[in-house]
Amino acid sequence: MYDTKPFKNMTKTNLTSNKKEMTLLYAIERVVEVSKNSHMNKSVLKKAKKEICFLAKSYNITEQQAVLFCVCMERGPHCVNYDDLSTHLDVSKISAYSYAADIDTLVRRRLLRFRDVKEEDSVDIPTAVIRSMKHNEVYELPQRTNLDCAAMFDLLNLWFDDLYNDAITAEELSTELEMLYDENPQVGFVRHLNEYNLNNEDMLLTTLFCHLLVSRDDDDIRFNQIEDAYDSDRKFFKAKADLRSGEHRLMKKHIIEHLCEDGIANNSRYKLTEEAKRKLLGEFRINTVDEKIADMLETEKLTEKKLFFSDDIDRQVRDLGSFLMPENFCKVQERMKKKGFRNGFACLFYGSPGTGKTETVYQLARQTGRNIMVVDVPQIKSKWVGESEKNIKALFDRYRELVGKAKATPILLFNEADAIIGIRKNGAQNAVDKMENSIQNIILQEMESLDGIMIATTNLQQNFDKAFERRFLYKIKFEKPTAEARAHIWHEMIPELNEDDVQTLAAKYDFSGGQIENIARHYNIDCILHGDSADSLSTLISHCDNEHLDANESRRVGF
């Protein structure tokens, strides 16, 4: 319907510069006057020959088409039909129908628009045509080739307006989209859309979702907004049923999803997934939620660090490290799939602060060549009710995308996860409690379908919800190091200490590895500022006593 090959690329031209005595409106008015009751007689129309030729040349149409366009302008701008042509020209209705091919050409030139493409018995004058005419400018035919993403979506905006106004069918628009995308492979949106390998019906629906977000800032799509994308009720009802059930092809490809409210999927409202937004609409720099709530740590940037644990913890960490080696992990996943088990692995590291939980995750990632997606838990719990649920869904969507692309499955790390995996509140009434329960419900659902590695760390295992506990396959309790382990840590942190001083500090202070590292930093800062101490043990004991005071003060806060 929008084949532009018969027409030259038009540029916006102000016509008064060449012919000051002639304007588009004047020419149209003159042609309307002469063509009234003319029977389309050439000898009568000669009276406005100059004006007709002017319009035909300006709009790149024939002289007869120019006359018909002028009549439509006079009888419009809305609901102009063949009766109007018959009345104005004083010809029979049968004769008026003979101009159908010319009307079709004017529609292709976008000077007219069918009100209902299925009937093709009446037309409107597009607002853009009238607006240009008021300024004595020829309406530009939209360019279709060598577009950038913004220009493409400007064109899509016009076409979807036509779809909503019944000026084009869904099937015709699908054909136009296919041609447009073939003509503009350089556009990132087109390149990524083609990667999904969609049929025409799904391509149209995906484009519609993208158009609504980009052009109308609408990311909450209802059924009435997509109905026009289907030419038959049967197709629409089938798509509607598939969308409600979550079985639609675009949902299986993670392009669209149910809108989430209070942790529950609303099966009558839909949105683009964060993955699809990032992939398809990257050229518009649309901020996706997941990019705000998680940072990526690349395995190459993780620094090697020696950790000291009791024999029992050390054994569990080594076993987990062996399992996470890529060759072992892939074998286990394949075996689990064959046996019908879930193939995702969730691990819980719990225990006192400073016992090495987070650092253990880093070292496991470094040893097994895995990147880490570190979740910013406070960012998930948005102050806006309803946003938190979107955040957590977006997070898992992003993680699934990373798993699909990565050579080695990345680790999803919920550090200090107490705030989101604590005991759920029964009979929650206020918005905050409902929100927290919703977040937890979403995480529980995602853990059921996890296809990767999730590790959560927590200091408050006594507040841990039992439903989460059951879903963690590996659970390692991190306890404060033994005296022997503390001695190793002291020696690792401050190698210049002699053995007697190391043993004294290890026996005297029941510190965690994190506390010892903190003291070692204080000590090294002192050495840099004041030089090496003659009595390093006394200096360290002073720092250790201050560390105890800090710990006591922190326990009294809130008394």
Side-chain angles (χ1 to χ4, degrees), residues 109-136:
R109 174 62 183 84
R110 297 187 72 86
L111 296 175
L112 303 179
R113 180 175 64 193
F114 286 125
R115 291 185 64 79
D116 186 343
V117 74
K118 297 175 185 177
E119 299 296 335
E120 298 187 358
D121 61 351
S122 63
V123 295
D124 292 339
I125 314 295
T127 303
V129 174
I130 297 174
R131 185 186 305 118
S132 297
M133 196 177 299
K134 288 177 180 177
H135 295 285
N136 200 38

PDB file of all heavy atoms in Angstrom, residues 109-136:
ATOM      1  N   ARG A 109       0.567   8.052  -2.382  1.00  0.00           N
ATOM      2  CA  ARG A 109       1.367   9.278  -2.250  1.00  0.00           C
ATOM      3  C   ARG A 109       1.168   9.917  -0.878  1.00  0.00           C
ATOM      4  O   ARG A 109       1.862  10.846  -0.509  1.00  0.00           O
ATOM      5  CB  ARG A 109       0.952  10.250  -3.377  1.00  0.00           C
ATOM      6  CG  ARG A 109       1.575  11.631  -3.332  1.00  0.00           C
ATOM      7  CD  ARG A 109       3.088  11.602  -3.453  1.00  0.00           C
ATOM      8  NE  ARG A 109       3.632  12.926  -3.337  1.00  0.00           N
ATOM      9  CZ  ARG A 109       3.894  13.556  -2.193  1.00  0.00           C
ATOM     10  NH1 ARG A 109       3.640  12.959  -1.041  1.00  0.00           N
ATOM     11  NH2 ARG A 109       4.394  14.771  -2.199  1.00  0.00           N
ATOM     12  N   ARG A 110       0.229   9.356  -0.111  1.00  0.00           N
ATOM     13  CA  ARG A 110      -0.083   9.789   1.247  1.00  0.00           C
ATOM     14  C   ARG A 110      -0.715  11.187   1.290  1.00  0.00           C
ATOM     15  O   ARG A 110      -0.698  11.854   2.322  1.00  0.00           O
ATOM     16  CB  ARG A 110       1.132   9.723   2.162  1.00  0.00           C
ATOM     17  CG  ARG A 110       1.688   8.325   2.353  1.00  0.00           C
ATOM     18  CD  ARG A 110       2.789   8.282   3.393  1.00  0.00           C
ATOM     19  NE  ARG A 110       2.252   8.463   4.723  1.00  0.00           N
ATOM     20  CZ  ARG A 110       1.769   7.470   5.483  1.00  0.00           C
ATOM     21  NH1 ARG A 110       1.741   6.234   5.034  1.00  0.00           N
ATOM     22  NH2 ARG A 110       1.318   7.721   6.691  1.00  0.00           N
ATOM     23  N   LEU A 111      -1.298  11.606   0.151  1.00  0.00           N
ATOM     24  CA  LEU A 111      -2.066  12.845   0.147  1.00  0.00           C
ATOM     25  C   LEU A 111      -3.487  12.587   0.638  1.00  0.00           C
ATOM     26  O   LEU A 111      -4.163  13.504   1.117  1.00  0.00           O
ATOM     27  CB  LEU A 111      -2.097  13.441  -1.264  1.00  0.00           C
ATOM     28  CG  LEU A 111      -0.732  13.880  -1.812  1.00  0.00           C
ATOM     29  CD1 LEU A 111      -0.862  14.327  -3.255  1.00  0.00           C
ATOM     30  CD2 LEU A 111      -0.144  14.991  -0.954  1.00  0.00           C
ATOM     31  N   LEU A 112      -3.946  11.348   0.511  1.00  0.00           N
ATOM     32  CA  LEU A 112      -5.221  10.902   1.054  1.00  0.00           C
ATOM     33  C   LEU A 112      -4.988   9.670   1.910  1.00  0.00           C
ATOM     34  O   LEU A 112      -3.937   9.024   1.818  1.00  0.00           O
ATOM     35  CB  LEU A 112      -6.219  10.560  -0.075  1.00  0.00           C
ATOM     36  CG  LEU A 112      -6.543  11.638  -1.104  1.00  0.00           C
ATOM     37  CD1 LEU A 112      -7.514  11.079  -2.141  1.00  0.00           C
ATOM     38  CD2 LEU A 112      -7.131  12.881  -0.439  1.00  0.00           C
ATOM     39  N   ARG A 113      -5.988   9.343   2.715  1.00  0.00           N
ATOM     40  CA  ARG A 113      -5.884   8.148   3.550  1.00  0.00           C
ATOM     41  C   ARG A 113      -7.260   7.490   3.622  1.00  0.00           C
ATOM     42  O   ARG A 113      -8.264   8.155   3.908  1.00  0.00           O
ATOM     43  CB  ARG A 113      -5.406   8.517   4.962  1.00  0.00           C
ATOM     44  CG  ARG A 113      -5.271   7.333   5.901  1.00  0.00           C
ATOM     45  CD  ARG A 113      -4.678   7.765   7.225  1.00  0.00           C
ATOM     46  NE  ARG A 113      -5.569   8.701   7.910  1.00  0.00           N
ATOM     47  CZ  ARG A 113      -5.213   9.435   8.955  1.00  0.00           C
ATOM     48  NH1 ARG A 113      -3.972   9.383   9.401  1.00  0.00           N
ATOM     49  NH2 ARG A 113      -6.074  10.243   9.525  1.00  0.00           N
ATOM     50  N   PHE A 114      -7.336   6.196   3.323  1.00  0.00           N
ATOM     51  CA  PHE A 114      -8.599   5.488   3.441  1.00  0.00           C
ATOM     52  C   PHE A 114      -9.047   5.467   4.899  1.00  0.00           C
ATOM     53  O   PHE A 114      -8.250   5.188   5.803  1.00  0.00           O
ATOM     54  CB  PHE A 114      -8.474   4.043   2.942  1.00  0.00           C
ATOM     55  CG  PHE A 114      -8.389   3.910   1.450  1.00  0.00           C
ATOM     56  CD1 PHE A 114      -7.335   3.240   0.852  1.00  0.00           C
ATOM     57  CD2 PHE A 114      -9.376   4.458   0.642  1.00  0.00           C
ATOM     58  CE1 PHE A 114      -7.258   3.108  -0.514  1.00  0.00           C
ATOM     59  CE2 PHE A 114      -9.306   4.334  -0.744  1.00  0.00           C
ATOM     60  CZ  PHE A 114      -8.245   3.663  -1.327  1.00  0.00           C
ATOM     61  N   ARG A 115     -10.320   5.735   5.112  1.00  0.00           N
ATOM     62  CA  ARG A 115     -10.855   5.643   6.471  1.00  0.00           C
ATOM     63  C   ARG A 115     -10.951   4.193   6.917  1.00  0.00           C
ATOM     64  O   ARG A 115     -10.762   3.875   8.085  1.00  0.00           O
ATOM     65  CB  ARG A 115     -12.248   6.290   6.537  1.00  0.00           C
ATOM     66  CG  ARG A 115     -12.219   7.787   6.365  1.00  0.00           C
ATOM     67  CD  ARG A 115     -13.581   8.391   6.558  1.00  0.00           C
ATOM     68  NE  ARG A 115     -14.087   8.197   7.923  1.00  0.00           N
ATOM     69  CZ  ARG A 115     -13.711   8.920   8.976  1.00  0.00           C
ATOM     70  NH1 ARG A 115     -12.821   9.888   8.830  1.00  0.00           N
ATOM     71  NH2 ARG A 115     -14.227   8.698  10.159  1.00  0.00           N
ATOM     72  N   ASP A 116     -11.254   3.308   5.996  1.00  0.00           N
ATOM     73  CA  ASP A 116     -11.326   1.878   6.287  1.00  0.00           C
ATOM     74  C   ASP A 116     -10.788   1.150   5.065  1.00  0.00           C
ATOM     75  O   ASP A 116     -11.418   1.121   4.008  1.00  0.00           O
ATOM     76  CB  ASP A 116     -12.775   1.448   6.566  1.00  0.00           C
ATOM     77  CG  ASP A 116     -12.867  -0.010   7.013  1.00  0.00           C
ATOM     78  OD1 ASP A 116     -11.881  -0.756   6.799  1.00  0.00           O
ATOM     79  OD2 ASP A 116     -13.913  -0.399   7.556  1.00  0.00           O
ATOM     80  N   VAL A 117      -9.599   0.603   5.212  1.00  0.00           N
ATOM     81  CA  VAL A 117      -8.938  -0.005   4.067  1.00  0.00           C
ATOM     82  C   VAL A 117      -9.708  -1.204   3.535  1.00  0.00           C
ATOM     83  O   VAL A 117      -9.554  -1.606   2.379  1.00  0.00           O
ATOM     84  CB  VAL A 117      -7.487  -0.407   4.445  1.00  0.00           C
ATOM     85  CG1 VAL A 117      -7.482  -1.637   5.323  1.00  0.00           C
ATOM     86  CG2 VAL A 117      -6.646  -0.635   3.198  1.00  0.00           C
ATOM     87  N   LYS A 118     -10.574  -1.804   4.364  1.00  0.00           N
ATOM     88  CA  LYS A 118     -11.356  -2.960   3.913  1.00  0.00           C
ATOM     89  C   LYS A 118     -12.477  -2.526   2.971  1.00  0.00           C
ATOM     90  O   LYS A 118     -12.923  -3.280   2.116  1.00  0.00           O
ATOM     91  CB  LYS A 118     -11.938  -3.697   5.117  1.00  0.00           C
ATOM     92  CG  LYS A 118     -10.868  -4.282   6.049  1.00  0.00           C
ATOM     93  CD  LYS A 118     -11.502  -4.880   7.286  1.00  0.00           C
ATOM     94  CE  LYS A 118     -10.421  -5.357   8.273  1.00  0.00           C
ATOM     95  NZ  LYS A 118     -11.012  -5.871   9.529  1.00  0.00           N
ATOM     96  N   GLU A 119     -12.940  -1.295   3.142  1.00  0.00           N
ATOM     97  CA  GLU A 119     -14.059  -0.807   2.330  1.00  0.00           C
ATOM     98  C   GLU A 119     -13.575   0.078   1.174  1.00  0.00           C
ATOM     99  O   GLU A 119     -14.073   0.011   0.054  1.00  0.00           O
ATOM    100  CB  GLU A 119     -15.038  -0.021   3.208  1.00  0.00           C
ATOM    101  CG  GLU A 119     -15.656  -0.846   4.332  1.00  0.00           C
ATOM    102  CD  GLU A 119     -16.527  -1.974   3.820  1.00  0.00           C
ATOM    103  OE1 GLU A 119     -17.037  -1.860   2.682  1.00  0.00           O
ATOM    104  OE2 GLU A 119     -16.691  -2.967   4.533  1.00  0.00           O
ATOM    105  N   GLU A 120     -12.614   0.955   1.464  1.00  0.00           N
ATOM    106  CA  GLU A 120     -12.034   1.854   0.457  1.00  0.00           C
ATOM    107  C   GLU A 120     -13.095   2.712  -0.238  1.00  0.00           C
ATOM    108  O   GLU A 120     -13.014   3.000  -1.440  1.00  0.00           O
ATOM    109  CB  GLU A 120     -11.230   1.067  -0.591  1.00  0.00           C
ATOM    110  CG  GLU A 120     -10.047   0.322  -0.010  1.00  0.00           C
ATOM    111  CD  GLU A 120      -9.160  -0.308  -1.069  1.00  0.00           C
ATOM    112  OE1 GLU A 120      -9.503  -0.189  -2.270  1.00  0.00           O
ATOM    113  OE2 GLU A 120      -8.142  -0.889  -0.707  1.00  0.00           O
ATOM    114  N   ASP A 121     -14.130   3.113   0.492  1.00  0.00           N
ATOM    115  CA  ASP A 121     -15.177   3.932  -0.124  1.00  0.00           C
ATOM    116  C   ASP A 121     -15.154   5.376   0.350  1.00  0.00           C
ATOM    117  O   ASP A 121     -15.919   6.201  -0.140  1.00  0.00           O
ATOM    118  CB  ASP A 121     -16.561   3.320   0.132  1.00  0.00           C
ATOM    119  CG  ASP A 121     -16.875   3.238   1.615  1.00  0.00           C
ATOM    120  OD1 ASP A 121     -15.969   3.498   2.422  1.00  0.00           O
ATOM    121  OD2 ASP A 121     -18.032   2.902   1.950  1.00  0.00           O
ATOM    122  N   SER A 122     -14.292   5.685   1.329  1.00  0.00           N
ATOM    123  CA  SER A 122     -14.176   7.080   1.768  1.00  0.00           C
ATOM    124  C   SER A 122     -12.762   7.352   2.242  1.00  0.00           C
ATOM    125  O   SER A 122     -12.044   6.450   2.673  1.00  0.00           O
ATOM    126  CB  SER A 122     -15.179   7.385   2.892  1.00  0.00           C
ATOM    127  OG  SER A 122     -14.900   6.609   4.040  1.00  0.00           O
ATOM    128  N   VAL A 123     -12.353   8.625   2.130  1.00  0.00           N
ATOM    129  CA  VAL A 123     -10.985   9.007   2.468  1.00  0.00           C
ATOM    130  C   VAL A 123     -10.981  10.234   3.359  1.00  0.00           C
ATOM    131  O   VAL A 123     -11.957  10.984   3.439  1.00  0.00           O
ATOM    132  CB  VAL A 123     -10.155   9.295   1.194  1.00  0.00           C
ATOM    133  CG1 VAL A 123      -9.982   8.035   0.363  1.00  0.00           C
ATOM    134  CG2 VAL A 123     -10.773  10.431   0.385  1.00  0.00           C
ATOM    135  N   ASP A 124      -9.860  10.422   4.038  1.00  0.00           N
ATOM    136  CA  ASP A 124      -9.587  11.631   4.807  1.00  0.00           C
ATOM    137  C   ASP A 124      -8.367  12.317   4.211  1.00  0.00           C
ATOM    138  O   ASP A 124      -7.532  11.679   3.546  1.00  0.00           O
ATOM    139  CB  ASP A 124      -9.278  11.300   6.272  1.00  0.00           C
ATOM    140  CG  ASP A 124     -10.482  10.766   7.033  1.00  0.00           C
ATOM    141  OD1 ASP A 124     -11.609  11.018   6.592  1.00  0.00           O
ATOM    142  OD2 ASP A 124     -10.263  10.090   8.063  1.00  0.00           O
ATOM    143  N   ILE A 125      -8.236  13.605   4.485  1.00  0.00           N
ATOM    144  CA  ILE A 125      -6.997  14.327   4.184  1.00  0.00           C
ATOM    145  C   ILE A 125      -6.143  14.262   5.450  1.00  0.00           C
ATOM    146  O   ILE A 125      -6.556  14.770   6.500  1.00  0.00           O
ATOM    147  CB  ILE A 125      -7.248  15.800   3.818  1.00  0.00           C
ATOM    148  CG1 ILE A 125      -8.388  15.926   2.817  1.00  0.00           C
ATOM    149  CG2 ILE A 125      -5.963  16.441   3.291  1.00  0.00           C
ATOM    150  CD1 ILE A 125      -8.130  15.317   1.478  1.00  0.00           C
ATOM    151  N   PRO A 126      -4.954  13.644   5.412  1.00  0.00           N
ATOM    152  CA  PRO A 126      -4.109  13.575   6.600  1.00  0.00           C
ATOM    153  C   PRO A 126      -3.788  14.965   7.149  1.00  0.00           C
ATOM    154  O   PRO A 126      -3.578  15.922   6.395  1.00  0.00           O
ATOM    155  CB  PRO A 126      -2.842  12.868   6.109  1.00  0.00           C
ATOM    156  CG  PRO A 126      -3.293  12.081   4.911  1.00  0.00           C
ATOM    157  CD  PRO A 126      -4.349  12.935   4.269  1.00  0.00           C
ATOM    158  N   THR A 127      -3.747  15.066   8.469  1.00  0.00           N
ATOM    159  CA  THR A 127      -3.455  16.347   9.126  1.00  0.00           C
ATOM    160  C   THR A 127      -2.124  16.920   8.672  1.00  0.00           C
ATOM    161  O   THR A 127      -1.974  18.136   8.487  1.00  0.00           O
ATOM    162  CB  THR A 127      -3.459  16.154  10.656  1.00  0.00           C
ATOM    163  OG1 THR A 127      -4.710  15.616  11.052  1.00  0.00           O
ATOM    164  CG2 THR A 127      -3.203  17.471  11.372  1.00  0.00           C
ATOM    165  N   ALA A 128      -1.129  16.045   8.475  1.00  0.00           N
ATOM    166  CA  ALA A 128       0.204  16.512   8.083  1.00  0.00           C
ATOM    167  C   ALA A 128       0.168  17.192   6.719  1.00  0.00           C
ATOM    168  O   ALA A 128       0.903  18.164   6.474  1.00  0.00           O
ATOM    169  CB  ALA A 128       1.181  15.336   8.060  1.00  0.00           C
ATOM    170  N   VAL A 129      -0.681  16.705   5.812  1.00  0.00           N
ATOM    171  CA  VAL A 129      -0.803  17.305   4.484  1.00  0.00           C
ATOM    172  C   VAL A 129      -1.389  18.711   4.600  1.00  0.00           C
ATOM    173  O   VAL A 129      -0.902  19.668   3.988  1.00  0.00           O
ATOM    174  CB  VAL A 129      -1.679  16.427   3.568  1.00  0.00           C
ATOM    175  CG1 VAL A 129      -1.930  17.123   2.234  1.00  0.00           C
ATOM    176  CG2 VAL A 129      -1.011  15.069   3.346  1.00  0.00           C
ATOM    177  N   ILE A 130      -2.429  18.846   5.413  1.00  0.00           N
ATOM    178  CA  ILE A 130      -3.082  20.146   5.595  1.00  0.00           C
ATOM    179  C   ILE A 130      -2.135  21.127   6.287  1.00  0.00           C
ATOM    180  O   ILE A 130      -2.035  22.297   5.907  1.00  0.00           O
ATOM    181  CB  ILE A 130      -4.376  19.981   6.416  1.00  0.00           C
ATOM    182  CG1 ILE A 130      -5.371  19.095   5.658  1.00  0.00           C
ATOM    183  CG2 ILE A 130      -4.993  21.338   6.733  1.00  0.00           C
ATOM    184  CD1 ILE A 130      -6.616  18.753   6.440  1.00  0.00           C
ATOM    185  N   ARG A 131      -1.412  20.640   7.279  1.00  0.00           N
ATOM    186  CA  ARG A 131      -0.484  21.506   8.007  1.00  0.00           C
ATOM    187  C   ARG A 131       0.580  22.062   7.068  1.00  0.00           C
ATOM    188  O   ARG A 131       0.907  23.258   7.101  1.00  0.00           O
ATOM    189  CB  ARG A 131       0.164  20.728   9.152  1.00  0.00           C
ATOM    190  CG  ARG A 131       1.063  21.589  10.050  1.00  0.00           C
ATOM    191  CD  ARG A 131       1.802  20.757  11.083  1.00  0.00           C
ATOM    192  NE  ARG A 131       0.889  19.957  11.875  1.00  0.00           N
ATOM    193  CZ  ARG A 131       0.902  18.618  11.914  1.00  0.00           C
ATOM    194  NH1 ARG A 131       1.787  17.951  11.187  1.00  0.00           N
ATOM    195  NH2 ARG A 131       0.061  17.960  12.677  1.00  0.00           N
ATOM    196  N   SER A 132       1.150  21.197   6.213  1.00  0.00           N
ATOM    197  CA  SER A 132       2.168  21.646   5.261  1.00  0.00           C
ATOM    198  C   SER A 132       1.586  22.662   4.287  1.00  0.00           C
ATOM    199  O   SER A 132       2.216  23.676   3.958  1.00  0.00           O
ATOM    200  CB  SER A 132       2.730  20.446   4.488  1.00  0.00           C
ATOM    201  OG  SER A 132       3.374  19.543   5.350  1.00  0.00           O
ATOM    202  N   MET A 133       0.360  22.399   3.846  1.00  0.00           N
ATOM    203  CA  MET A 133      -0.286  23.278   2.873  1.00  0.00           C
ATOM    204  C   MET A 133      -0.499  24.682   3.442  1.00  0.00           C
ATOM    205  O   MET A 133      -0.360  25.680   2.735  1.00  0.00           O
ATOM    206  CB  MET A 133      -1.619  22.658   2.464  1.00  0.00           C
ATOM    207  CG  MET A 133      -2.234  23.234   1.213  1.00  0.00           C
ATOM    208  SD  MET A 133      -3.733  22.340   0.824  1.00  0.00           S
ATOM    209  CE  MET A 133      -3.083  20.698   0.572  1.00  0.00           C
ATOM    210  N   LYS A 134      -0.844  24.754   4.722  1.00  0.00           N
ATOM    211  CA  LYS A 134      -1.049  26.059   5.355  1.00  0.00           C
ATOM    212  C   LYS A 134       0.209  26.913   5.280  1.00  0.00           C
ATOM    213  O   LYS A 134       0.149  28.144   5.240  1.00  0.00           O
ATOM    214  CB  LYS A 134      -1.471  25.873   6.809  1.00  0.00           C
ATOM    215  CG  LYS A 134      -2.894  25.359   6.989  1.00  0.00           C
ATOM    216  CD  LYS A 134      -3.185  25.144   8.461  1.00  0.00           C
ATOM    217  CE  LYS A 134      -4.611  24.640   8.682  1.00  0.00           C
ATOM    218  NZ  LYS A 134      -4.873  24.357  10.115  1.00  0.00           N
ATOM    219  N   HIS A 135       1.364  26.234   5.304  1.00  0.00           N
ATOM    220  CA  HIS A 135       2.649  26.951   5.234  1.00  0.00           C
ATOM    221  C   HIS A 135       3.177  26.988   3.800  1.00  0.00           C
ATOM    222  O   HIS A 135       4.345  27.321   3.579  1.00  0.00           O
ATOM    223  CB  HIS A 135       3.671  26.278   6.151  1.00  0.00           C
ATOM    224  CG  HIS A 135       3.306  26.351   7.604  1.00  0.00           C
ATOM    225  ND1 HIS A 135       3.426  27.492   8.354  1.00  0.00           N
ATOM    226  CD2 HIS A 135       2.781  25.409   8.438  1.00  0.00           C
ATOM    227  CE1 HIS A 135       3.013  27.265   9.590  1.00  0.00           C
ATOM    228  NE2 HIS A 135       2.618  26.006   9.670  1.00  0.00           N
ATOM    229  N   ASN A 136       2.308  26.638   2.831  1.00  0.00           N
ATOM    230  CA  ASN A 136       2.673  26.631   1.422  1.00  0.00           C
ATOM    231  C   ASN A 136       3.859  25.710   1.147  1.00  0.00           C
ATOM    232  O   ASN A 136       4.757  26.022   0.371  1.00  0.00           O
ATOM    233  CB  ASN A 136       2.992  28.046   0.923  1.00  0.00           C
ATOM    234  CG  ASN A 136       2.883  28.138  -0.597  1.00  0.00           C
ATOM    235  OD1 ASN A 136       2.003  27.522  -1.200  1.00  0.00           O
ATOM    236  ND2 ASN A 136       3.773  28.911  -1.203  1.00  0.00           N
TER     237      ASN A 136
END
